[in-house]
Amino acid sequence: MFTLKSLCFDSTVLKKFSPVALAVSTALISPHAFASEPTETPSDEMEVIVVTSDFRGSTLDKMPSSITIIDQQQIEDEGAQHFEDVLNSIANFNWSGGSSRPKYFQIRGVGEQEEYQGAPNSSVGYIIDDIDMSGLGMISSMYDLQQVEVLRGPQGTRYGANALAGLIYLKSNDPSDVFEHGAEVSVGDDNLTTFSGFSSGPLTDSGKLLYRVSLQQHQQNGYQNNLYLNRDDTNARDEFTGRAKLRWYASDDLEIDFTLLHADYDNGYDVWTLDNNGENTLTDAPGVDKQRTTGSSLKFTYSGAEQFELVSLTSYANSQTHHNYDGDWANPDYWGGLDCGGEPCQFDYTWDKKGERNTISQEFRFSSTEAGRIFSGSTDWLLGVYGMRLTEDNDTVEDYNGWLDPLAAEYEANNTAVFGQLDSDLGAGYALSFGLRVERRDSDYSDSAGDEFSPGETMWGGHIALSKALSSSHETYARIARGYKAGGFNMSLPAELSDKKEYDTETLYNYEIGLKSRWLDGAASTNFSLFFMDRRNQQVSASQQNPEEPQKFILYTENAGSSHNYGAELEGNWYATDNLKLYASLGWLETAYGDYAYQDKYGGTVDLTGRELAHSPNFTYSAGATYRTDSGWFANLTTSGKSEFYYSDSNESKSQAYTIFNARVGYETDVWSAYLWGKNLFDEQYGTRGFYFGNEPDQDWADKQYIRYGDPRQLGLTVNVKFM
């Protein structure tokens, strides 16, 4: 009988070169791990996938846009614990590893790499169960998740200013009308332990009130050994995620959904080294990367009117964050043993930022029913209004050799918008979608250094898409979308950069054609898109190291004229037999700066006109296979990778191309399952963030490449139970 106690053994048995770890590794790569042969019976037609982030919940094959959906089955097959575990399988998608968990993303080369100064203005939207977490996406547990949706290109009609590049939408499972429960335990290398559980079902005999609760506690040491402090947990992950949902069928015409999210990520941040060794740090004051978020959403769906349906969506989130790092990446003993102009070096620097963000939003949507269609019943319509208020307070302290430089900042942004959409059946297989959004944004910023800004502007975006059903198996589309990102301001600039105090709104026109197909009687599907992006007044993040105070960086955003990105995405799924599923993705991306040059720290001009954008690899790719025997054996193998890319907009340093492999094998029954798994099986060392600057006083602050690496190989065991 399965019990939690049966898994509570000493975690040291899964050290990197232990016999158990070697046995796990051997099982994962052995071609003889499974004895049963696959059957040759073709699979039934593939399941219909619904895009829940869409206004009307359209099916994926009918959406005239490039969208990736990772469903619950794939999440479970790959053993994904966090969004970080699946993001490499998304075409033309990248992330910046400047935090303990990914929270800065790039879609088709557009997105942030960092945010230090406390005036958030995201290019990539991030929504969890209708709660806006843009710029705070690290709280992304995959447990009990229905699906991950990534919408590429501007989402100007649906989501407005925070979705210039696209949108990431995480949808957890809804309450069920029958009782179901489950629990899961994972142990592995790096002292990993993960405990998860869920429960769902009706709360009343009538079945009108349903609930679902899911909890997960994840811990691991974080792969780094701090040689100075003799600790192996200075980069630890300690992450709790809890979700609760209620669904009330208040009447035949009114459905009410309430979601509560609480996440407490108490992580360390100790990843940077002077020699780029990737695993042994020397810091005396290891950093932290914490986020505690409590959020909720309340959705009313009223369908009692003959001509329309009304949806009211309210959301709220409070997030307390703390990001701290040891900026000298060493300790007083290390620096004191080096020579700086005939004297022992003295270099002690820490950066500390504590923040609190509150976001509240309200949206009302009226959408036509079948009886309410216009233009002779050919056209669905939708009208909506939206309002959001975001406040964020930050306290930042820099400590350089005992000299403190504090900064307190307050920020507020208010957004209001009206939007509408028409979806028309033109006959002969043609359909036309047109959407428009007009949004007003007003913001206020002030800080203890005397900077004050109060910009305001009105922006607009939208889309027009024409689709054509070529047959029952093939649908093509052409789409033009306009997105926008609000202009802003730069704080704490020196007098010589006073002309850069403010920057303008960026707009992005995305031109896209695509083909969505089913093959082999529905056993296989492909989604192909080809796009061209016209960015106007492109916003570029720049930084300069102060040669007089090398520990300080001058950070600012400016416009870089127009630029163009273009490329393609191809995704495919094939149920080769009833037992074998194959899937793959490929992204191709070409990016370039417009007319843009910046000054380096010595006053020289660096011209980046025509250069590729940072964190924009030319190629992203992934492939996977899942095999299940009729007798219960299971195997999943995935691979993913990226070509090289520039780390920053402010220098020429590049990553190396990489490919990583993951595997998972096990045995499944209707009640319990057990798996051995391995991530990054061949222990590939790959960069996720890089800096190029001077950080060593004994080298006269000479510029040098510093790299933060992704997670190394990890092996483990997972056991779960599910019952009704």
Side-chain angles (χ1 to χ4, degrees):
M1 180 177 179
F2 166 76
T3 65
L4 297 184
K5 183 178 179 181
S6 65
L7 290 175
C8 295
F9 53 86
D10 188 350
S11 60
T12 58
V13 302
L14 284 175
K15 292 295 184 182
K16 188 172 185 179
F17 297 105
S18 70
V20 172
L22 292 175
V24 171
S25 181
T26 301
L28 291 174
I29 63 177
S30 171
H32 307 292
F34 306 98
S36 299
E37 295 295 328
T39 65
E40 298 298 330
T41 306
S43 63
D44 295 330
E45 187 168 343
M46 297 169 65
E47 64 178 332
V48 174
I49 299 177
V50 175
V51 182
T52 59
S53 55
D54 179 56
F55 283 132
R56 294 182 179 274
S58 302
T59 60
L60 178 61
D61 60 335
K62 295 296 182 182
M63 285 286 291
S65 183
S66 178
I67 302 172
T68 291
I69 291 185
I70 302 173
D71 63 16
Q72 181 175 359
Q73 191 63 64
Q74 182 177 336
I75 292 170
E76 293 180 353
D77 287 350
E78 296 182 4
Q81 183 271 323
H82 189 273
F83 183 55
E84 182 175 352
D85 297 325
V86 301
L87 56 81
N88 279 336
S89 64
I90 303 167
N92 284 334
F93 188 93
N94 204 4
W95 62 287
S96 171
S99 50
S100 65
R101 288 292 202 179
K103 60 181 176 180
Y104 304 114
F105 306 101
Q106 303 84 42
I107 298 177
R108 292 177 173 175
V110 181
E112 283 69 52
Q113 298 151 38
E114 59 204 7
E115 200 282 296
Y116 289 111
Q117 295 183 295
N121 190 15
S122 298
S123 297
V124 177
Y126 201 98
I127 310 291
I128 303 176
D129 285 330
D130 294 321
I131 303 169
D132 191 341
M133 300 304 302
S134 301
L136 296 173
M138 66 182 284
I139 54 165
S140 305
S141 167
M142 294 288 101
Y143 184 67
D144 200 33
L145 209 68
Q146 177 180 317
Q147 61 193 38
V148 174
E149 304 175 11
V150 178
L151 287 68
R152 301 181 188 86
Q155 305 300 312
T157 305
R158 180 67 181 91
Y159 289 99
N162 275 352
L164 174 79
L167 176 79
I168 303 164
Y169 188 90
L170 272 57
K171 171 72 167 63
S172 65
N173 284 314
D174 288 324
S176 56
D177 56 7
V178 296
F179 284 108
E180 55 183 19
H181 318 282
E184 182 175 282
V185 177
S186 295
V187 294
D189 286 340
D190 194 45
N191 277 346
L192 178 142
T193 57
T194 305
F195 299 93
S196 312
F198 80 93
S199 178
S200 181
L203 284 173
T204 60
D205 293 338
S206 65
K208 291 184 178 295
L209 182 61
L210 314 176
Y211 80 95
R212 191 177 194 96
V213 175
S214 62
L215 306 171
Q216 183 175 82
Q217 176 66 54
H218 173 81
Q219 292 179 305
Q220 62 183 109
N221 281 353
Y223 305 111
Q224 301 294 328
N225 296 310
N226 189 305
L227 302 183
Y228 183 71
L229 299 177
N230 193 28
R231 289 172 53 189
D232 63 359
D233 62 350
T234 54
N235 194 49
R237 295 168 180 167
D238 183 356
E239 303 170 341
F240 171 80
T241 304
R243 298 188 186 97
K245 285 188 167 185
L246 290 175
R247 172 166 290 177
W248 180 28
Y249 296 102
S251 69
D252 291 341
D253 302 323
L254 179 61
E255 178 182 315
I256 302 174
D257 288 283
F258 175 74
T259 299
L260 177 65
L261 168 68
H262 180 73
D264 188 358
Y265 279 38
D266 186 3
N267 294 349
Y269 187 61
D270 188 23
V271 295
W272 296 97
T273 61
L274 296 166
D275 61 358
N276 292 321
N277 70 76
E279 59 179 330
N280 295 315
T281 65
L282 294 172
T283 55
D284 63 313
V288 300
D289 191 22
K290 301 181 180 182
Q291 180 176 333
R292 176 177 292 190
T293 293
T294 300
S296 62
S297 64
L298 181 62
K299 183 178 182 180
F300 292 82
T301 304
Y302 176 72
S303 56
E306 181 182 0
Q307 303 290 323
F308 65 87
E309 180 180 85
L310 170 63
V311 173
S312 169
L313 181 59
T314 308
S315 71
Y316 170 78
N318 170 269
S319 296
Q320 300 175 41
T321 60
H322 184 194
H323 189 62
N324 169 289
Y325 60 84
D326 187 332
D328 61 89
W329 301 346
N331 55 78
D333 295 336
Y334 174 87
W335 293 117
L338 299 177
D339 179 74
C340 288
E343 298 289 338
C345 295
Q346 183 182 4
F347 184 25
D348 186 16
Y349 175 69
T350 58
W351 186 90
D352 186 273
K353 176 184 173 183
K354 295 179 180 178
E356 181 172 4
R357 182 187 299 185
N358 287 283
T359 305
I360 186 168
S361 67
Q362 175 65 55
E363 180 175 285
F364 293 103
R365 299 198 304 262
F366 294 86
S367 58
S368 61
T369 62
E370 184 174 353
R373 290 173 178 167
I374 57 177
F375 303 138
S376 301
S378 66
T379 303
D380 283 308
W381 54 267
L382 180 141
L383 292 172
V385 295
Y386 171 83
M388 182 184 74
R389 180 175 183 266
L390 181 153
T391 62
E392 182 168 304
D393 297 335
N394 288 284
D395 290 298
T396 305
V397 177
E398 295 180 79
D399 184 346
Y400 177 61
N401 292 341
W403 292 91
L404 300 181
D405 186 5
L407 181 71
E410 297 180 352
Y411 177 74
E412 178 179 328
N414 292 282
N415 292 47
T416 55
V418 295
F419 55 89
Q421 183 168 308
L422 297 175
D423 296 289
S424 298
D425 182 353
L426 303 181
Y430 286 95
L432 180 68
S433 177
F434 172 76
L436 180 67
R437 185 184 188 99
V438 179
E439 185 164 354
R440 176 69 187 180
R441 178 185 176 96
D442 294 285
S443 60
D444 288 285
Y445 173 89
S446 62
D447 63 34
S448 57
D451 275 328
E452 294 185 358
F453 302 94
S454 298
E457 58 187 313
T458 300
M459 304 163 286
W460 69 273
H463 74 274
I464 183 169
L466 178 67
S467 57
K468 164 66 173 174
L470 303 177
S471 69
S472 60
S473 300
H474 304 281
E475 180 134 353
T476 187
Y477 69 88
R479 179 185 182 91
I480 301 174
R482 185 186 197 270
Y484 51 88
K485 182 181 179 183
F489 45 85
N490 295 304
M491 60 288 288
S492 303
L493 292 183
E496 58 268 25
L497 294 177
S498 59
D499 60 328
K500 301 185 184 298
K501 281 285 188 179
E502 298 186 4
Y503 53 91
D504 294 331
T505 302
E506 177 180 347
T507 57
L508 190 157
Y509 289 88
N510 186 81
Y511 305 89
E512 182 175 308
I513 58 175
L515 177 65
K516 300 190 177 187
S517 302
R518 290 178 178 267
W519 312 87
L520 304 175
D521 296 324
S525 68
T526 57
N527 294 330
F528 173 76
S529 59
L530 185 67
F531 65 89
F532 179 87
M533 300 168 67
D534 178 10
R535 299 181 68 181
R536 303 181 181 181
N537 285 327
Q538 174 189 342
Q539 295 177 10
V540 178
S541 297
S543 65
Q544 286 185 22
Q545 187 174 16
N546 189 333
E548 302 299 324
E549 297 178 280
Q551 81 283 0
K552 285 185 174 294
F553 285 82
I554 302 166
L555 306 175
Y556 60 95
T557 299
E558 58 182 336
N559 298 105
S562 63
S563 65
H564 304 97
N565 300 358
Y566 60 91
E569 292 105 17
L570 175 63
E571 297 180 336
N573 293 275
W574 179 28
Y575 290 88
T577 72
D578 284 347
N579 303 93
L580 177 64
K581 178 186 177 183
L582 305 174
Y583 52 99
S585 70
L586 176 64
W588 165 54
L589 178 65
E590 299 289 339
T591 65
Y593 287 100
D595 183 12
Y596 177 58
Y598 70 92
Q599 286 189 329
D600 63 22
K601 63 183 180 181
Y602 303 110
T605 299
V606 180
D607 189 354
L608 292 185
T609 302
R611 200 206 80 173
E612 292 180 346
L613 302 180
H615 279 263
S616 303
N618 294 129
F619 294 100
T620 53
Y621 50 90
S622 69
T626 300
Y627 178 63
R628 283 183 167 86
T629 72
D630 295 333
S631 58
W633 292 103
F634 163 90
N636 174 268
L637 176 66
T638 61
T639 182
S640 62
K642 293 178 171 65
S643 60
E644 63 182 16
F645 56 86
Y646 288 98
Y647 280 125
S648 175
D649 294 317
S650 298
N651 58 69
E652 296 293 303
S653 62
K654 275 189 170 185
S655 73
Q656 298 293 319
Y658 67 86
T659 301
I660 58 177
F661 292 85
N662 302 324
R664 183 175 167 91
V665 300
Y667 187 79
E668 301 174 331
T669 74
D670 292 338
V671 176
W672 64 270
S673 304
Y675 308 92
L676 301 176
W677 50 263
K679 299 178 181 179
N680 192 4
L681 279 177
F682 299 104
D683 207 18
E684 177 82 0
Q685 189 178 66
Y686 59 99
T688 62
R689 187 72 174 121
F691 294 115
Y692 188 80
F693 69 104
N695 202 45
E696 299 178 47
D698 61 309
Q699 302 297 319
D700 199 24
W701 305 102
D703 289 343
K704 178 181 172 181
Q705 175 73 74
Y706 301 104
I707 301 173
R708 185 262 170 97
Y709 297 103
D711 291 350
R713 176 172 53 227
Q714 186 175 42
L715 307 175
L717 168 69
T718 296
V719 176
N720 68 51
V721 293
K722 291 183 180 180
F723 53 93
M724 300 178 67

